[in-house]
Amino acid sequence: MRLGFRHIQLISPYHYRISLPPRRFSTTPMAASQVNKTAHAFDKSRLEALLNRRFFYAPAFEIYGGVAGLYDYGPPGSSLQANIIAEWRKHFIVEEHMLELDTTIMTPAAVFETSGHVARFADWMVKDSKTGDVLRADHLVGGVLEARLAGDKEARGLAAAPVAEDKKKKKKTAKAAAVKLEDDVVKEYESTLAQVVLLSCSRWIWATQPEIYLPYGPCPIRHLDNYTGPQLGELCRKYKIRNPDTDNEVGEPQQFNLMFTSSIGPTGQHPGYLRPETAQGHFLNFSRLLEFNNGRIPFASAQVGRSFRNEISPRAGLLRVREFTMAEIEHYVDPDDKSHVRFPEVRSQVLTLLDRNVQEAGSSRTTQMTVGEAVDKGIIANETLGYFIARISQYLVKIGINPARLRFRQHMGNEMAHYATDCWDAEIENATGWTECVGCADRAAYDLSVHTDRTGHPLVVRQALKEPIVTEKETAEWNKKLLGKTFKGDAGVLQKLVEGLPEAELVRLKGELAQGSAVVKSADGKEFQLTPELVTIERKVFKQSIREYTPNVIEPSFGLGRILYTLLEHSFWAREQDIERGVSLSSYLHTVWALIAGLQVLSLPPIVAPTKVLIVPLSAREEFAPIVQEVSNKLRRAGVFSRVDDSNTSIGKRYARNDELGTPFGITVDFASVQNRTMTLRERDTTDQRIGSIDDVIAAVTDLVLGNIDWEQACERLPAYDGVQAVE
Amino acid sequence: MRLGFRHIQLISPYHYRISLPPRRFSTTPMAASQVNKTAHAFDKSRLEALLNRRFFYAPAFEIYGGVAGLYDYGPPGSSLQANIIAEWRKHFIVEEHMLELDTTIMTPAAVFETSGHVARFADWMVKDSKTGDVLRADHLVGGVLEARLAGDKEARGLAAAPVAEDKKKKKKTAKAAAVKLEDDVVKEYESTLAQVVLLSCSRWIWATQPEIYLPYGPCPIRHLDNYTGPQLGELCRKYKIRNPDTDNEVGEPQQFNLMFTSSIGPTGQHPGYLRPETAQGHFLNFSRLLEFNNGRIPFASAQVGRSFRNEISPRAGLLRVREFTMAEIEHYVDPDDKSHVRFPEVRSQVLTLLDRNVQEAGSSRTTQMTVGEAVDKGIIANETLGYFIARISQYLVKIGINPARLRFRQHMGNEMAHYATDCWDAEIENATGWTECVGCADRAAYDLSVHTDRTGHPLVVRQALKEPIVTEKETAEWNKKLLGKTFKGDAGVLQKLVEGLPEAELVRLKGELAQGSAVVKSADGKEFQLTPELVTIERKVFKQSIREYTPNVIEPSFGLGRILYTLLEHSFWAREQDIERGVSLSSYLHTVWALIAGLQVLSLPPIVAPTKVLIVPLSAREEFAPIVQEVSNKLRRAGVFSRVDDSNTSIGKRYARNDELGTPFGITVDFASVQNRTMTLRERDTTDQRIGSIDDVIAAVTDLVLGNIDWEQACERLPAYDGVQAVE
């Protein structure tokens, strides 16, 4: 259909209003998959402008100048996050009957001393020698060397690739751009960088491997050989690296613990930390959880909550923040049996894997493989880990992550903690590279063991054995009174000595004692004379009916802000503009308006979209109000969250505005609704419109939102709309 | 039905198992309201034991010795809290189309300097002169005087009322018990206490009235005349008050700010606080929210989130904690129009009110009144405040708060901040008295104004006036060059002087200037000669088409932990035991078991109950598994959260265990389910059982959980169960 002058209402010779009809009127339904979403290249700055303008999120304390790494979520961002969490609860907690927890953020120091965070949860920082400004040592070295290499490329007449998103940094980079370097210096820089860049790897996994420090960020695949603080200091001196903002020298790298510190109570004597992960809150409650689960294992605890990391200089939007919402699962299993009862359900699930061996061979080529095969081949260590990796993949795809931009990367041998069996990160590709968004690690018995050791409270499972284990052994029974009287201070030594003897020795002693007496010698040559009055050696039967063990922990840990941001990137596109369609004034103006305002779309799946249905009355006229109210009530009763937009702009603009908010469906209430009780239903991605009775449309949209049908099925129920009535 | 030996299974002469049948088999349904829930007096310690044992919540870091005022919620507590929040979202955010926010906890100091928290959000504390232990000054004075009065009563032969819940304190109190006081000393103590006790009033309301400090806790109704720190110090000296734990003297009271402090970033130069309320996060985002709402007002923002208060010595369970979840609404209105469009919907809602006048007359007698009447009579200041009070009341009753133990108490004149118009607290009665759980205040323009002043960012509404306001007035136009040349430093003074003149004076000047020249005199007698070249005075027309104003804020603020705890108190009861029913061994043992284990019930409404339906297969036999699975799946599809308990204990015990968790309905799967596809449905409060086909029972229980029908209606659908099959 061609746009024409009948859509233009002349108000004055210089002022006309264009009523934009729905843009597509095809009578054959278009599948969402047929929509060309790549007509425009992805533009991160346009997405960020949209997210800021529509208040998905914004820098916190903006009117006070903001604080780096702290963001507030506005209405659409909060709803999106709430829906991501609700789906997470359904997919994991409800489905698996996990035990949910809500533990405190403020934590006494002793807990993180035990877990290792106080000693090792730190970054290396350097101070500007004059201004005192603080920089992250690895970022500084990496940034300066990259800038020099870029400058070298420019000097050699090669195109300099943009080094950093940060405008300020870019400027500095440009400044240093013209200097050509010696060939061997280039080589040296590149080899240094290969190792430094790894430092911008993710830190989610830190908790699973405290001895190796890995900070946040996109994770290129390189061999791990990262630098310690002193080594970074050495690099600064060797390459004469200065603070690029001031050109001042920097001091020696110092460790900076990334936990926010505080103090509990009024005396100032009880240091506290804000938790950097929710996991410790699970572990400390293990005994209560086990009891709640009637002593049975395996089971899992789950928690969604805020955590804090005092980043030195966060600059990557939602991908590196100082305060964030996590969702963590701790699944407790028998170390001798890591099978999973529901593994057969996911066995045939195909995953994109980047395993340890491939990376260690210097490649980043992924493989498609079923999780069943990966476990069978020993690529994934055990069924439980495989089960969770498959479930994580299902979840991410369900909420709208593009499966083609999702991979599971295994930690390399040297990335892994000594106690960890296996660890895989769900990495999601975005404009900055591949970012770890979920970690899935087998933490073995580490956490429960260290807290047991520190507190003396046994975080263990005691299981009645079906068949008691029966053993027989020679056992010494002492006459304690006589023992003490005879050997005084040496009594204990003697007792230990005899009880530690091997079975054969005890049999020998027993024989000698039957003869009247026996002699034992200690390691330092002391001799003890034993008599039958003093000690009896007898063969006794021992029956062990309880098995006690520290369970192992499989931990899927989700960074919800990172998932939310990458989901927004994957959902964002701009509509293809059909400028050839007509050369009428309205078409021209439409195109110009679209180019200026931007017909941008967030194709969020209904399951997570902040608003499911937009109700658009043709105008704010009173005659539409009862129908709008009726539709709104019926949708609410059906459990579908809708919003009404009766603002004083064209229907097209109102739809465009809600395409930006990711609202998947729109219902137009117009004169036909009043006269014939029909409404039109619009799908966001195709902009297709269908028509039906009020109740049919409500039934169809409810099924669409609940995921019972897709758009093509809805089109079978509702005829195409020819577009005449909307512009009456 | 009488219990008999057929319920006892003999295992050995000294070991028998009792299969408890459902206790009631009446064929006429019993309304939940007919259940006698007060057969046993409320016993707080029994409730607390239950909550701890079933892990509703427990002291955080328990295995590390715990930290006062920090609690972890276990599985039932987390679910209960999640359901309370979900219902809050539905009742407020969805229903009113509020704009949800999720802002950060970590806050730079400047924000709380502006809001007044840095200067005034503090308690008075004293230090033990030898041990350095810290005590809250008001608690100390109050506690010691109360103990002495109790001791006096005992010495006079009157019953000494228990003074504190705290066991340690009780012991100390008992020690001091025997001393009789002079009559006038008793009088003096009582009059002092009348004022000190008010200090254990709630602090929710603090934010609305920063100049008056009111700490947490139950709120007795007394006139406000609280003590300052120096006055508390004076009382300690005058009454020789010492630390009752050590008998040491205490030092001078010092102010202790109740915000947890921290530091943002690595330099240590950016002090931060953990927010003590979520409200500031709303206010700072006001401009963005207004824009998101298309510039329209009124609207509300809402947020559920964690807040922190570093209490000096919290000892009241969930009623006074250091970390808690709040839900806050900030509703922005035109200060000239506080009507509410939905007020007619709540007009006839009856509230229990305790208004300001009654309290100022020294009474605590409440009045039942419709909210319409209260607003009409000016008892509640305006419609919007009245609307929210009514909605808060509906919400609390809906989730299970006993309406007879809910009242709205108005702040007295001297409790109220100078800028606040009106403030009401929803107080819920519990074992410790009346506790404020929701504050509902008209904060006027205070918050938005102070942040505007501090940041220069105008947090205002700009509204196009329908009819521009047209005014005419005499206006001076200066020849700036000549003005400066002629009067130099005095030019500004002169300009201000003339422009500040009243209309009549300007008319006079205009006349004189028309004659050639005029003279004006400043307040300090200086004379200025004016000429027509220097200034022209003309009548001009001004048209104001935009109205700019700072909106007022109505703030309902919910302490979710307090609501959760009082709800648990209101839901808790113990079943009446029919010991007369039979003297059989089983009946006797049943009673003994009930007395020991306690047949305790939490009558949580289905809407908030952690688990809605318990599925109980007669045993863990495989033949029941398919039906259990079928029922579980069908319920999940219907949106009903169920759990299966197939543990190896009697059905009666499994039900009793789930009565303690507040599970409202139980479904028994037995042999009849396999043979005839019937199941029984049990209601928690009445223990009534009905029978029906699998699908009928699922349909009935779904309607029950969704609140479509009540138990009596369910009984019309499903016949009574005679109890034969369950014990096959």
Side-chain angles (χ1 to χ4, degrees):
Chain A
M1 187 200 166
R2 203 168 154 284
L3 299 175
F5 280 95
R6 70 186 173 92
H7 299 118
I8 302 180
Q9 185 195 348
L10 213 64
I11 292 163
S12 81
Y14 304 103
H15 183 192
Y16 35 83
R17 181 179 295 143
I18 301 170
S19 305
L20 287 175
R23 285 192 53 256
R24 301 192 67 266
F25 301 115
S26 157
T27 44
T28 50
M30 189 192 212
S33 58
Q34 288 174 265
V35 177
N36 178 7
K37 294 183 178 177
T38 52
H40 300 272
F42 174 76
D43 182 340
K44 195 178 188 216
S45 60
R46 272 188 94 186
L47 170 63
E48 284 178 337
L50 183 160
L51 298 178
N52 189 284
R53 181 163 41 82
R54 307 311 305 273
F55 200 9
F56 273 81
Y57 60 90
F61 318 108
E62 204 176 13
I63 67 171
Y64 278 81
V67 175
L70 294 180
Y71 292 89
D72 288 345
Y73 286 18
S78 299
S79 294
L80 178 58
Q81 180 184 245
N83 295 342
I84 287 174
I85 291 172
E87 195 48 41
W88 190 88
R89 279 213 168 89
K90 240 187 261 172
H91 187 85
F92 292 102
I93 299 185
V94 175
E95 184 65 34
E96 317 268 356
H97 291 105
M98 292 175 178
L99 305 184
E100 191 164 0
L101 283 174
D102 187 15
T103 69
T104 63
I105 292 167
M106 181 62 68
T107 307
V111 172
F112 290 122
E113 282 160 18
T114 306
S115 69
H117 286 80
V118 169
R120 287 171 297 203
F121 193 57
D123 271 348
W124 292 101
M125 63 173 190
V126 289
K127 271 194 184 170
D128 182 298
S129 56
K130 287 183 186 156
T131 65
D133 286 351
V134 173
L135 302 144
R136 241 177 81 170
D138 56 330
H139 282 188
L140 174 69
V141 173
V144 168
L145 295 191
E146 278 192 25
R148 288 185 192 166
L149 285 173
D152 170 72
K153 266 195 184 156
E154 208 180 308
R156 289 169 191 251
L158 303 161
V163 180
E165 319 152 16
D166 198 288
K167 275 181 194 166
K168 210 169 160 190
K169 217 171 166 184
K170 232 179 211 164
K171 229 171 69 192
K172 297 284 168 193
T173 307
K175 248 189 184 172
V179 188
K180 186 171 176 294
L181 305 170
E182 298 298 316
D183 284 2
D184 56 343
V185 171
V186 169
K187 233 177 205 168
E188 201 178 331
Y189 280 10
E190 277 173 350
S191 125
T192 304
L193 271 176
Q195 295 161 69
V196 173
V197 172
L198 191 91
L199 289 170
S200 64
C201 241
S202 163
R203 199 194 302 117
W204 282 117
I205 44 163
W206 178 86
T208 63
Q209 43 196 53
E211 48 299 88
I212 296 167
Y213 157 61
L214 289 175
Y216 270 160
C219 182
I221 300 312
R222 315 221 186 189
H223 278 279
L224 182 87
D225 193 16
N226 59 339
Y227 293 96
T228 62
Q231 287 169 329
L232 287 166
E234 183 57 38
L235 289 175
C236 287
R237 280 189 299 276
K238 184 170 167 194
Y239 299 136
K240 300 201 168 53
I241 289 173
R242 292 158 165 263
N243 179 357
D245 291 335
T246 60
D247 207 36
N248 296 331
E249 284 184 6
V250 295
E252 270 308 293
Q254 294 173 309
Q255 256 192 330
F256 173 66
N257 193 294
L258 293 169
M259 290 192 291
F260 280 100
T261 56
S262 192
S263 171
I264 306 171
T267 60
Q269 290 160 1
H270 303 291
Y273 293 101
L274 303 190
R275 65 177 178 204
E277 57 171 24
T278 75
Q280 304 306 319
H282 301 235
F283 303 138
L284 299 186
N285 284 302
F286 174 75
S287 297
R288 281 183 172 275
L289 290 166
L290 180 66
E291 196 193 327
F292 190 85
N293 206 46
N294 298 323
R296 292 185 191 181
I297 205 164
F299 73 92
S301 56
Q303 177 166 206
V304 181
R306 207 60 77 87
S307 293
F308 293 79
R309 294 179 187 184
N310 195 6
E311 297 288 343
I312 292 175
S313 53
R315 287 182 187 181
L318 290 193
L319 297 182
R320 190 185 306 141
V321 291
R322 285 175 165 155
E323 184 175 334
F324 49 95
T325 303
M326 298 176 90
E328 289 191 304
I329 294 166
E330 310 295 337
H331 181 90
Y332 310 92
V333 291
D334 184 336
D336 296 344
D337 178 11
K338 294 187 180 177
S339 66
H340 196 288
V341 68
R342 295 183 70 176
F343 188 71
E345 293 176 33
V346 300
R347 178 166 265 288
S348 60
Q349 161 99 31
V350 176
L351 299 172
T352 303
L353 301 179
L354 176 54
D355 73 44
R356 177 188 299 156
N357 298 329
V358 171
Q359 297 169 64
E360 282 169 358
S363 163
S364 64
R365 203 169 43 82
T366 57
T367 323
Q368 300 268 329
M369 194 184 285
T370 67
V371 62
E373 194 185 344
V375 170
D376 291 345
K377 286 187 175 165
I379 296 172
I380 294 174
N382 58 61
E383 278 192 4
T384 299
L385 200 59
Y387 178 74
F388 277 110
I389 291 172
R391 294 281 298 158
I392 290 165
S393 172
Q394 287 169 8
Y395 169 73
L396 293 173
V397 172
K398 195 197 281 180
I399 63 166
I401 293 297
N402 180 350
R405 304 179 73 185
L406 168 65
R407 72 180 184 194
F408 287 86
R409 188 181 74 78
Q410 187 175 31
H411 285 198
M412 287 178 282
N414 49 3
E415 270 180 272
M416 198 111 68
H418 64 277
Y419 54 79
T421 316
D422 198 4
C423 181
W424 292 79
D425 293 341
E427 294 185 335
I428 301 176
E429 199 191 15
N430 61 84
T432 67
W434 286 92
T435 300
E436 190 216 341
C437 294
V438 187
C440 190
D442 185 336
R443 294 171 77 122
Y446 175 74
D447 308 278
L448 296 176
S449 305
V450 293
H451 289 300
T452 297
D453 291 349
R454 168 83 180 239
T455 64
H457 182 103
L459 301 173
V460 295
V461 174
R462 284 191 189 87
Q463 237 168 16
L465 289 168
K466 276 184 190 161
E467 304 252 327
I469 299 169
V470 179
T471 44
E472 277 187 28
K473 62 179 179 189
E474 300 293 337
T475 313
E477 291 281 341
W478 300 89
N479 176 338
K480 289 271 166 74
K481 211 171 163 185
L482 187 61
L483 176 71
K485 209 171 145 190
T486 316
F487 295 101
K488 306 225 161 64
D490 284 338
V493 178
L494 171 60
Q495 227 178 327
K496 256 193 193 157
L497 178 65
V498 171
E499 283 159 18
L501 288 174
E503 192 80 359
E505 278 294 291
L506 283 170
V507 172
R508 185 187 60 79
L509 267 190
K510 191 176 170 180
E512 291 182 12
L513 282 170
Q515 308 294 322
S517 81
V519 172
V520 287
K521 262 191 210 171
S522 72
D524 55 0
K526 222 173 203 169
E527 285 198 357
F528 298 93
Q529 181 84 26
L530 302 181
T531 61
E533 292 74 44
L534 191 74
V535 64
T536 326
I537 292 174
E538 269 177 29
R539 193 156 191 84
K540 283 198 174 172
V541 175
F542 292 87
K543 207 167 117 180
Q544 190 199 344
S545 54
I546 298 282
R547 175 180 161 231
E548 185 179 292
Y549 63 89
T550 302
N552 278 12
V553 174
I554 313 281
E555 181 196 72
S557 170
F558 298 69
L560 296 179
R562 291 177 163 205
I563 292 173
L564 183 139
Y565 175 75
T566 52
L567 172 60
L568 287 167
E569 266 205 17
H570 289 198
S571 305
F572 179 71
W573 57 290
R575 288 201 197 286
E576 192 176 9
Q577 295 303 315
D578 284 344
I579 23 175
E580 304 84 12
R581 202 181 258 171
V583 284
S584 71
L585 177 62
S586 74
S587 171
Y588 173 76
L589 289 174
H590 181 182
T591 309
V592 170
W593 171 62
L595 288 176
I596 296 168
L599 280 182
Q600 299 171 145
V601 187
L602 283 176
S603 284
L604 295 168
I607 211 173
V608 291
T611 303
K612 314 301 182 195
V613 180
L614 182 76
I615 304 171
V616 187
L618 192 61
S619 70
R621 286 205 217 186
E622 272 183 22
E623 55 201 310
F624 299 130
I627 294 179
V628 167
Q629 194 61 45
E630 179 191 343
V631 174
S632 172
N633 287 347
K634 283 185 173 167
L635 286 173
R636 186 166 58 220
R637 244 172 281 143
V640 174
F641 184 64
S642 69
R643 273 194 189 271
V644 178
D645 186 346
D646 58 359
S647 60
N648 190 25
T649 38
S650 74
I651 288 189
K653 259 193 191 160
R654 280 182 272 167
Y655 274 135
R657 207 153 62 184
N658 279 278
D659 287 347
E660 286 191 343
L661 292 173
T663 309
F665 304 105
I667 285 175
T668 314
V669 174
D670 57 16
F671 293 109
S673 312
V674 180
Q675 288 155 21
N676 319 328
R677 289 188 60 80
T678 62
M679 305 191 294
T680 60
L681 176 64
R682 173 189 185 265
E683 197 276 334
R684 175 196 58 209
D685 294 359
T686 56
T687 71
D688 229 9
Q689 294 208 66
R690 318 299 294 186
I691 190 162
S693 74
I694 291 180
D695 288 331
D696 286 352
V697 168
I698 288 175
V701 84
T702 302
D703 278 338
L704 282 165
V705 167
L706 298 180
N708 298 334
I709 58 170
D710 63 14
W711 182 244
E712 279 164 271
Q713 288 168 299
C715 291
E716 284 164 23
R717 286 205 210 163
L718 301 172
Y721 172 59
D722 65 6
V724 176
Q725 284 145 319
V727 287
E728 287 285 295
Chain B
M1 186 198 165
R2 204 166 154 285
L3 300 174
F5 281 94
R6 70 188 172 93
H7 300 118
I8 302 181
Q9 185 194 349
L10 214 63
I11 292 163
S12 82
Y14 305 103
H15 184 192
Y16 34 84
R17 182 180 295 141
I18 301 168
S19 305
L20 286 175
R23 284 191 52 257
R24 301 193 65 266
F25 301 116
S26 158
T27 45
T28 51
M30 189 193 213
S33 58
Q34 287 174 266
V35 177
N36 178 8
K37 294 184 178 177
T38 52
H40 299 272
F42 174 77
D43 182 341
K44 195 177 187 219
S45 61
R46 273 188 92 186
L47 169 64
E48 283 177 337
L50 184 160
L51 298 178
N52 189 285
R53 180 163 41 81
R54 307 311 305 272
F55 200 10
F56 272 80
Y57 60 90
F61 319 108
E62 204 176 12
I63 66 170
Y64 278 82
V67 175
L70 294 179
Y71 291 89
D72 289 344
Y73 286 17
S78 299
S79 294
L80 178 58
Q81 182 184 246
N83 295 341
I84 287 174
I85 291 172
E87 195 48 41
W88 191 87
R89 278 213 168 88
K90 238 186 261 173
H91 187 85
F92 291 103
I93 299 184
V94 174
E95 184 66 34
E96 317 268 356
H97 291 106
M98 292 176 178
L99 305 183
E100 191 164 0
L101 284 173
D102 188 15
T103 69
T104 62
I105 291 166
M106 183 59 70
T107 307
V111 172
F112 290 122
E113 281 159 20
T114 306
S115 68
H117 286 80
V118 169
R120 286 171 299 202
F121 193 58
D123 270 349
W124 292 101
M125 62 173 190
V126 289
K127 271 193 185 171
D128 182 299
S129 56
K130 288 184 185 156
T131 65
D133 286 351
V134 172
L135 302 145
R136 240 177 81 172
D138 56 329
H139 282 186
L140 173 68
V141 173
V144 169
L145 296 192
E146 277 191 25
R148 289 184 192 168
L149 285 173
D152 170 73
K153 265 193 185 156
E154 207 179 308
R156 287 169 194 251
L158 303 160
V163 179
E165 319 154 13
D166 197 290
K167 273 181 194 164
K168 207 169 160 192
K169 216 170 166 186
K170 232 178 210 165
K171 229 170 71 194
K172 298 282 169 190
T173 308
K175 247 187 183 172
V179 187
K180 186 171 177 294
L181 306 169
E182 298 297 315
D183 285 3
D184 55 343
V185 171
V186 170
K187 234 180 203 163
E188 201 178 330
Y189 280 9
E190 276 173 350
S191 125
T192 305
L193 271 176
Q195 296 161 66
V196 174
V197 173
L198 190 90
L199 289 170
S200 63
C201 240
S202 164
R203 199 196 302 118
W204 284 117
I205 45 164
W206 179 87
T208 62
Q209 45 195 51
E211 47 300 86
I212 296 166
Y213 158 61
L214 289 174
Y216 270 158
C219 182
I221 300 313
R222 314 222 187 190
H223 278 278
L224 181 87
D225 193 14
N226 58 339
Y227 293 96
T228 63
Q231 286 169 329
L232 287 166
E234 183 58 38
L235 289 175
C236 288
R237 281 188 297 278
K238 185 170 164 194
Y239 299 136
K240 300 199 166 55
I241 290 174
R242 291 157 165 264
N243 178 357
D245 292 335
T246 60
D247 207 37
N248 297 330
E249 283 185 7
V250 295
E252 268 309 292
Q254 293 173 311
Q255 257 192 329
F256 173 66
N257 193 293
L258 294 171
M259 289 192 291
F260 280 101
T261 55
S262 192
S263 170
I264 306 172
T267 60
Q269 290 160 2
H270 303 289
Y273 294 101
L274 303 190
R275 67 179 177 202
E277 56 172 23
T278 76
Q280 306 304 320
H282 300 236
F283 302 138
L284 300 185
N285 284 303
F286 175 73
S287 298
R288 282 183 171 275
L289 290 167
L290 181 66
E291 197 193 328
F292 190 85
N293 207 46
N294 298 323
R296 291 185 190 181
I297 206 166
F299 73 93
S301 55
Q303 177 166 206
V304 181
R306 208 59 78 89
S307 293
F308 293 79
R309 295 178 187 185
N310 196 5
E311 297 288 344
I312 292 175
S313 54
R315 288 183 187 180
L318 290 193
L319 297 181
R320 189 185 306 141
V321 290
R322 286 175 165 154
E323 184 175 335
F324 50 94
T325 303
M326 297 175 90
E328 290 192 303
I329 294 166
E330 310 295 337
H331 180 90
Y332 309 93
V333 291
D334 184 338
D336 296 344
D337 178 13
K338 295 187 180 177
S339 66
H340 196 289
V341 67
R342 296 183 71 175
F343 188 71
E345 293 176 32
V346 301
R347 177 167 266 288
S348 60
Q349 161 99 33
V350 177
L351 300 172
T352 303
L353 301 179
L354 176 53
D355 74 44
R356 176 189 298 156
N357 297 328
V358 170
Q359 295 169 65
E360 282 168 356
S363 163
S364 62
R365 204 169 43 81
T366 56
T367 323
Q368 300 269 328
M369 195 184 285
T370 66
V371 63
E373 193 184 345
V375 170
D376 292 345
K377 285 188 174 164
I379 296 172
I380 294 174
N382 57 62
E383 276 192 5
T384 300
L385 200 59
Y387 178 74
F388 277 111
I389 291 172
R391 294 281 299 158
I392 290 165
S393 171
Q394 286 169 8
Y395 169 73
L396 292 173
V397 173
K398 196 196 280 179
I399 63 167
I401 293 295
N402 179 351
R405 304 179 73 185
L406 168 65
R407 71 180 184 194
F408 287 86
R409 189 181 73 79
Q410 187 176 31
H411 284 197
M412 288 178 280
N414 49 3
E415 272 181 270
M416 198 111 69
H418 64 279
Y419 55 79
T421 316
D422 197 4
C423 181
W424 292 79
D425 293 341
E427 295 185 336
I428 301 175
E429 199 189 16
N430 61 83
T432 68
W434 288 90
T435 301
E436 190 217 340
C437 294
V438 187
C440 191
D442 184 337
R443 294 170 78 122
Y446 174 76
D447 309 277
L448 296 177
S449 304
V450 292
H451 288 300
T452 298
D453 292 349
R454 168 83 180 239
T455 64
H457 181 102
L459 301 174
V460 295
V461 175
R462 286 192 189 86
Q463 236 168 17
L465 289 168
K466 276 185 190 161
E467 305 252 326
I469 299 169
V470 179
T471 43
E472 277 187 28
K473 61 177 178 188
E474 300 292 337
T475 312
E477 290 282 341
W478 300 89
N479 176 337
K480 290 270 167 73
K481 213 172 163 187
L482 187 61
L483 176 71
K485 209 173 146 191
T486 318
F487 293 103
K488 306 223 161 66
D490 283 339
V493 178
L494 172 59
Q495 226 177 329
K496 255 194 194 156
L497 180 66
V498 171
E499 281 158 18
L501 287 174
E503 192 79 358
E505 276 293 291
L506 283 168
V507 173
R508 187 187 59 79
L509 266 190
K510 189 177 173 182
E512 290 182 13
L513 282 168
Q515 307 295 323
S517 82
V519 171
V520 286
K521 262 191 209 170
S522 72
D524 56 358
K526 223 175 205 170
E527 285 199 357
F528 297 94
Q529 183 84 26
L530 304 180
T531 61
E533 290 75 45
L534 190 74
V535 65
T536 325
I537 292 174
E538 269 176 29
R539 193 155 192 85
K540 284 199 173 168
V541 174
F542 292 87
K543 207 168 117 181
Q544 190 198 344
S545 55
I546 299 282
R547 177 180 160 229
E548 185 179 293
Y549 63 88
T550 302
N552 279 11
V553 173
I554 311 282
E555 181 195 72
S557 170
F558 297 69
L560 296 180
R562 290 176 164 206
I563 292 173
L564 183 140
Y565 175 75
T566 53
L567 172 60
L568 287 168
E569 265 206 17
H570 290 198
S571 304
F572 179 71
W573 57 289
R575 289 203 197 283
E576 193 175 10
Q577 295 303 317
D578 284 343
I579 23 173
E580 305 83 11
R581 206 181 254 172
V583 284
S584 70
L585 176 63
S586 74
S587 171
Y588 173 76
L589 289 174
H590 180 183
T591 308
V592 170
W593 171 62
L595 289 175
I596 295 166
L599 279 182
Q600 298 170 147
V601 187
L602 282 176
S603 284
L604 295 168
I607 211 174
V608 292
T611 302
K612 314 302 182 194
V613 180
L614 182 76
I615 304 172
V616 187
L618 192 59
S619 71
R621 287 204 215 186
E622 272 182 25
E623 56 200 308
F624 300 130
I627 294 178
V628 166
Q629 195 59 47
E630 178 191 342
V631 173
S632 175
N633 288 346
K634 282 186 173 167
L635 286 174
R636 188 166 56 219
R637 245 173 281 143
V640 174
F641 184 65
S642 69
R643 273 193 189 270
V644 178
D645 186 346
D646 58 0
S647 59
N648 190 25
T649 39
S650 72
I651 289 190
K653 257 193 193 160
R654 281 183 272 167
Y655 275 135
R657 208 154 62 183
N658 280 278
D659 288 346
E660 286 191 343
L661 292 173
T663 309
F665 304 106
I667 285 175
T668 313
V669 174
D670 56 17
F671 294 109
S673 312
V674 181
Q675 288 155 21
N676 319 327
R677 288 188 61 79
T678 60
M679 304 191 296
T680 60
L681 176 63
R682 173 189 185 266
E683 197 276 335
R684 175 196 59 208
D685 294 359
T686 57
T687 70
D688 229 10
Q689 292 208 65
R690 319 298 294 188
I691 190 161
S693 75
I694 291 180
D695 288 331
D696 285 352
V697 168
I698 288 175
V701 84
T702 302
D703 278 336
L704 282 165
V705 168
L706 298 179
N708 298 334
I709 59 170
D710 62 15
W711 181 244
E712 277 165 274
Q713 288 167 301
C715 290
E716 286 164 22
R717 289 205 208 164
L718 302 172
Y721 172 61
D722 65 7
V724 176
Q725 283 144 320
V727 288
E728 285 289 293

